[in-house]
Amino acid sequence: AVRESNPSSAASSLRAPHAHAPFCGGPMAEAAPEPHRKLRTGSSRVLVIGDVHGCAEELKVLLEKCDFSAAQGDVVVLVGDLINKGPDSAEVVRLAADGGFFAVLGNHDLIGLDRWSSWRENGIVPRADRHGSYDYVARLRDRDIAWLNSLPLTLELTDQGGALVVHAGLVPGVALDQQLPEDMYNIRNIMSASASGGEGQCRAVHGVSEGTAWGEAWDTHCNAVGTSKVLVPCFVLFGHDAPRGLQQWEHAWGLDTNCCDGGTLTACILPSRELVSVPALGSLHRVCEESDAREWRPIGSP
């Protein structure tokens, strides 16, 4: 059996599917859930899948290639950024919400919720931008919005060696409940305290112009203090960082392999840590020279 729980209360254990509480407003939103949850999966296989970004067909093909079977107890965990950029964000959310999938909140999920709120308020679909078309917001069901609103910031897979899923990353040396939400879905690099001329803990960097890849910094931290003394689970699975592609640090694996822009969609199957990928079916193109708006086009199209 799969069980999801609030780390602070055994009484809050829930059974999948659709065991989420709302996260940040929207239909059916009554109270914010705990941002950090624990997921009990028992002996089930867990498919942790990188940023889907609206690529519904690739997600279906990947699940088939992984021999996914809900009937056999397989569990799907998405690392966030289900939406934007790709061709069918509404279908990705529908697959996840109706399929009993689990996920953590990504920065693009927040962007999508914001654009949906704008459409809901004035009836006008927001213009396309560098993140692609927002036509999909009009196809999202209230159930889909409630599911997106329910997403936590982290999921600890307690039966998978305590692996932790987060969208972008963590600041080394900071307890989970002290991590900033905006860091957990935006971080790319880490600036050490000494490098920034200060003392104490290191600093999150949301770009790549300074510091080192956060996964590398996480490895250094885990190996320096010892895995038993790390303040959060030591093995972290994350997404967000498509430019770096697949990352396999000792204690952190990055699974965003740029499916929405000509790369691949990647799954890490636990507990074996087998990696399975399928090729993208399209990529992003600028709509015109005068705008930074982009649209997804199938491979081979002009």
Side-chain angles (χ1 to χ4, degrees):
V2 178
R3 296 176 54 148
E4 185 184 15
S5 67
N6 169 335
S8 63
S9 173
S12 68
S13 294
L14 303 170
R15 286 189 179 274
H18 318 313
H20 304 290
F23 181 76
C24 56
M28 301 170 60
E30 297 175 356
E34 287 294 316
H36 308 291
R37 301 188 195 157
K38 294 186 177 183
L39 184 63
R40 300 297 305 271
T41 57
S43 59
S44 297
R45 289 196 315 160
V46 179
L47 282 60
V48 183
I49 298 176
D51 303 38
V52 180
H53 275 303
C55 297
E57 288 305 311
E58 289 92 331
L59 177 58
K60 294 173 185 177
V61 172
L62 179 62
L63 292 173
E64 183 176 353
K65 187 173 182 179
C66 292
D67 295 321
F68 169 72
S69 171
Q72 295 296 318
D74 290 347
V75 177
V76 173
V77 177
L78 305 171
V79 302
D81 279 7
L82 284 72
I83 56 181
N84 289 345
K85 300 185 179 181
D88 204 345
S89 292
E91 177 65 10
V92 172
V93 179
R94 188 180 298 262
L95 285 170
D98 292 353
F101 296 175
F102 295 90
V104 294
L105 185 71
N107 58 308
H108 276 277
D109 305 316
L110 285 170
I111 292 170
L113 286 168
D114 177 76
R115 301 302 189 270
W116 176 87
S117 294
S118 175
W119 167 77
R120 185 78 165 221
E121 183 177 339
N122 58 35
I124 300 172
V125 173
R127 287 183 182 178
D129 58 22
R130 61 192 179 90
H131 304 313
S133 169
Y134 295 106
D135 289 350
Y136 71 86
V137 299
R139 300 194 302 275
L140 291 170
R141 306 168 300 176
D142 284 356
R143 172 193 182 94
D144 300 329
I145 296 301
W147 186 87
L148 286 168
N149 276 327
S150 79
L151 300 182
L153 295 169
T154 68
L155 271 175
E156 182 181 347
L157 307 177
T158 54
D159 295 323
Q160 305 294 336
L164 188 85
V165 181
V166 65
H167 177 60
L170 303 166
V171 176
V174 178
L176 201 55
D177 61 1
Q178 298 299 310
Q179 299 275 344
L180 297 177
E182 57 266 30
D183 289 342
M184 287 184 278
Y185 49 71
N186 283 315
I187 193 173
R188 291 185 191 273
N189 281 10
I190 290 290
M191 177 70 80
S192 67
S194 58
S196 58
E199 297 181 357
Q201 70 184 43
C202 46
R203 175 171 60 86
V205 180
H206 295 175
V208 296
S209 61
E210 58 180 355
T212 59
W214 92 268
E216 180 180 359
W218 186 255
D219 256 16
T220 300
H221 171 71
C222 291
N223 291 329
V225 304
T227 56
S228 63
K229 296 182 180 179
V230 176
L231 296 176
V232 300
C234 207
F235 183 58
V236 180
L237 292 156
F238 66 101
H240 185 63
D241 200 358
R244 287 189 172 113
L246 180 67
Q247 300 180 60
Q248 290 181 274
W249 307 99
E250 182 181 357
H251 300 292
W253 284 16
L255 301 178
D256 186 354
T257 48
N258 208 19
C259 182
C260 63
D261 200 15
T264 61
L265 185 62
T266 299
C268 174
I269 303 176
L270 300 176
S272 68
R273 300 192 184 182
E274 176 189 0
L275 292 171
V276 180
S277 295
V278 297
L281 299 176
S283 59
L284 290 162
H285 300 264
R286 287 183 65 175
V287 175
C288 63
E289 291 298 323
E290 294 75 26
S291 169
D292 67 351
R294 297 190 294 175
E295 64 181 7
W296 184 92
R297 299 174 191 166
I299 290 175
S301 64

